[in-house]
């Protein structure tokens, strides 16, 4: 008997269009790869998850107190970009797990 996978739904706003992305734990390592694979966004995720380029910045819409942190170069990269506050994150540093279910983010251009 196969184990049922828990569905994780993430809402992504990109260029004024909202996408609903369905995934499950361990299908994608982080939010950046999910967006990179499912939504073609020119220039998004250029360093492919190293947390160095800042091209995968997303604004969290709503609460994010439960989100998992990967924290690999994230704070330094956001500081270099002049970003302050916790509502903006690098999607490559946001691990996909059950705490992300229902999350809504907006890609920062």
């Amino acid at each position: 008997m196969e184990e049922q996978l828990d569905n994780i739904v993430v809402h992504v706003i990109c260029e004024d269009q909202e996408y609903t992305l369905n995934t499950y734990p361990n299908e994608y390592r982080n939010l950046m790869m999910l967006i990179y694979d499912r939504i073609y966004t020119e220039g998004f995720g250029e360093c492919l998850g190293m947390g160095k380029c800042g091209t995968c910045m997303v604004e969290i819409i709503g609460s994010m107190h439960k989100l998992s942190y990967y924290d690999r170069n994230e704070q330094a990269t956001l500081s270099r970009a002049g970003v302050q506050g916790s509502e903006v994150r690098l999607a490559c540093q946001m691990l996909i797990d059950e705490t992300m279910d229902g999350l809504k983010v907006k890609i920062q251009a």
Side-chain angles (χ1 to χ4, degrees), residues 8 19 26 38 45 48 59 63 79 83 91 100 106-108:
I8 297 171
Y19 299 86
N26 300 315
R38 305 270 182 93
L48 295 177
E59 176 185 356
S63 177
S79 292
V83 175
M100 199 172 276
K106 181 177 182 181
I107 294 176
Q108 300 294 292

Side-chain angles (χ1 to χ4, degrees), residues 32 43-56 90 92-93:
M32 190 267 320
F44 183 82
E46 290 187 0
C47 73
L48 295 177
M50 299 303 293
K52 295 181 179 183
C53 70
T55 61
C56 68
L90 296 179
C92 68
Q93 303 303 302

